[in-house]
Structure formats: C-alpha cells, structure tokens
Amino acid sequence: MELLKDKLFNGISFEIIKEEYKEGYSSPFKLLLRVTNFNDHKKKIKVKLDYISVKYGLKKVWAPQEFIPDNTFFDFDFSYEEITHAYDGDRIELEVNEGKFATLRLIRERGQWWIVESKERSTYKRNLKSKIEHFEAIEEQFGITLQNFSVKVEDENSLDLFCEVLSLDGKVEKSSFTIEAAIYDSDNDIVYHTSLHSSDFKGFEVYHFGTIRLDITVDEISKIRVYPIQ
C-alpha cells in the first residue's frame, strides 16, 4: 500500500495532518485534511470525507469546496459526532469533485493513512465537441459558416478552442467581423467570454481562441457557444 501523503492525483496531493478530539463539542472529533495544488493555476476542489470507525461506525459530514491557488495548499476541516479517538483499522471513503477528479479508500495503520484503493479520472481525454453550439441563421447574415470545431482539454480547468470560418458559396459578404465564444456552467451562467476580430477576411480562416483557463472544471461546462457579430 502507498501512503496517502506520497500520492499525487492530477497534480494534487492529500494529507491528513491532524486527528483531534475536543471534549464538550457536539462534533468533538476533528480531522484536518491538507490539499496541496502543485499546478500552475488555481483548482476548484470539493471534498467529501466519510469516516468509518471500527468503534463508532460510519459518520458522514457535508462536503466543503474551495478554490486553491497555484502552488499552495488549503486545510479542510471535518468534524464528526460521537467519535472520541482515531484507531488503527479505521477507514475513510474520500471523494473529490463528486468522483469526477478522484475517489480514494483509505485505512489507518500504525498511526498513518494508507491508500487501499484509488481511482483517478484523467482530465486529458474529455470530449467537449458535443457541448458546442453555433447559429447557422446568424452566420448566413454574414455570408459565412463555422465548422470543424476542435476542443483540446489541457487539464481539469483549461482548454484550447479552435474553429474554421468559411465563406458561403465562395462569396465574401463582409470582410470585417468578430467571432465570439462564451462558456456556460451547469447553472447556465456565463463563466468565460472571449472574441477574435477579423478585418480582412478572404474566404477562409482558422480561429484559435488560445488557452482558456476557467474557474470551474471542464466537467461543469454545459455548453460552448460560438457566433459572429459585427
């Protein structure tokens, strides 16, 4: 088995740095879970930690969520009812970002937490092309069509976006226009917006919107809309 603190998950490490009992509190037993982000940009991390005590059974708590800046850490505080002590043989079921990032099963032995089983979701194989929407009626007003969309997921929070712009019937109705891209989350809120301007369109052009860094994970994207404006 591997120690929890020695394992990296997509550039993120987890370590239980404190087990503490505070008498007189309604939830007297506290775990402090340190989550360290070794990536080059912030990460959105939500952690659910269910504690299974050999003496007190299963204890659940709410799942806190934080944005963790690049190359720093955040300490998640979990408090449990009835438990007074951590024992060897205790287990933890740890779920990160509702299992979309990673799930871990841990056991406490010799006073340390070991990984019994883990499942890491690779963030580099997401297919987001089905999330793309464009509007042919609007494109026709500009005498163009948008096609061959490409989304390259860089990591949990970043993507590259490309599309081709082609004139309809070989005619260039307008040589100056802007292509905009908007990204929406699961609540249908716009979380990112960018645009590229063309002042001398000749009939064909590949648009690259660059690397887009988000405050949400790519799994939380509900749609990506790409459309022309004057």
Side-chain angles (χ1 to χ4, degrees), residues 4-227:
L4 173 64
K5 64 181 182 179
D6 293 338
K7 174 73 173 176
L8 273 181
F9 296 86
N10 292 321
I12 301 291
S13 72
F14 303 89
E15 181 182 2
I16 296 174
I17 62 172
K18 183 184 287 187
E19 303 163 349
E20 185 178 34
Y21 173 70
K22 290 187 174 182
E23 189 174 357
Y25 287 78
S26 58
S27 299
F29 183 71
K30 181 169 72 174
L31 288 180
L32 209 61
L33 176 72
R34 176 162 294 178
V35 180
T36 304
N37 175 18
F38 292 100
N39 294 278
D40 60 356
H41 55 282
K42 64 183 176 182
K43 289 280 189 180
K44 181 181 180 182
I45 297 294
K46 182 178 182 179
V47 182
K48 178 184 176 185
L49 196 154
D50 293 337
Y51 196 95
I52 304 100
S53 169
V54 292
K55 186 173 181 179
Y56 302 99
L58 172 64
K59 303 298 176 184
K60 293 177 175 283
V61 294
W62 63 285
Q65 176 176 287
E66 288 292 336
F67 285 99
I68 304 177
D70 54 294
N71 294 298
T72 189
F73 65 86
F74 183 84
D75 290 339
F76 288 86
D77 187 336
F78 297 90
S79 297
Y80 299 89
E81 298 177 353
E82 299 177 356
I83 300 177
T84 61
H85 191 77
Y87 297 92
D88 282 353
D90 287 357
R91 291 173 290 140
I92 284 176
E93 303 284 343
L94 196 154
E95 186 179 84
V96 186
N97 291 2
E98 298 177 343
K100 296 174 182 177
F101 190 93
T103 55
L104 298 84
R105 182 170 294 170
L106 313 174
I107 191 168
R108 189 180 190 274
E109 289 188 359
R110 302 186 299 280
Q112 298 194 80
W113 289 96
W114 302 77
I115 299 172
V116 176
E117 182 181 345
S118 66
K119 184 177 182 181
E120 181 177 6
R121 288 283 301 277
S122 171
T123 61
Y124 297 90
K125 298 179 181 179
R126 302 289 197 274
N127 186 352
L128 298 181
K129 291 182 70 173
S130 62
K131 307 283 188 179
I132 293 178
E133 298 179 359
H134 65 113
F135 307 96
E136 294 180 358
I138 298 177
E139 294 163 20
E140 288 175 2
Q141 297 176 25
F142 288 81
I144 60 174
T145 180
L146 306 184
Q147 61 182 27
N148 287 346
F149 296 95
S150 176
V151 185
K152 180 184 178 184
V153 176
E154 297 290 346
D155 59 36
E156 191 78 8
N157 301 85
S158 306
L159 57 88
D160 269 356
L161 177 62
F162 303 82
C163 77
E164 292 179 352
V165 182
L166 181 68
S167 64
L168 290 172
D169 302 323
K171 300 176 182 179
V172 181
E173 300 289 340
K174 297 180 180 180
S175 61
S176 178
F177 51 81
T178 297
I179 303 296
E180 299 205 333
I183 298 177
Y184 297 73
D185 65 12
S186 56
D187 293 323
N188 211 33
D189 292 330
I190 297 174
V191 295
Y192 189 89
H193 174 267
T194 187
S195 60
L196 291 175
H197 181 69
S198 177
S199 59
D200 190 24
F201 181 64
K202 300 297 185 183
F204 177 81
E205 195 169 345
V206 176
Y207 277 68
H208 176 212
F209 292 93
T211 299
I212 297 171
R213 302 198 184 280
L214 304 171
D215 286 338
I216 64 172
T217 65
V218 294
D219 288 316
E220 295 174 272
I221 295 173
S222 64
K223 58 179 174 266
I224 303 170
R225 283 180 168 169
V226 186
Y227 51 91

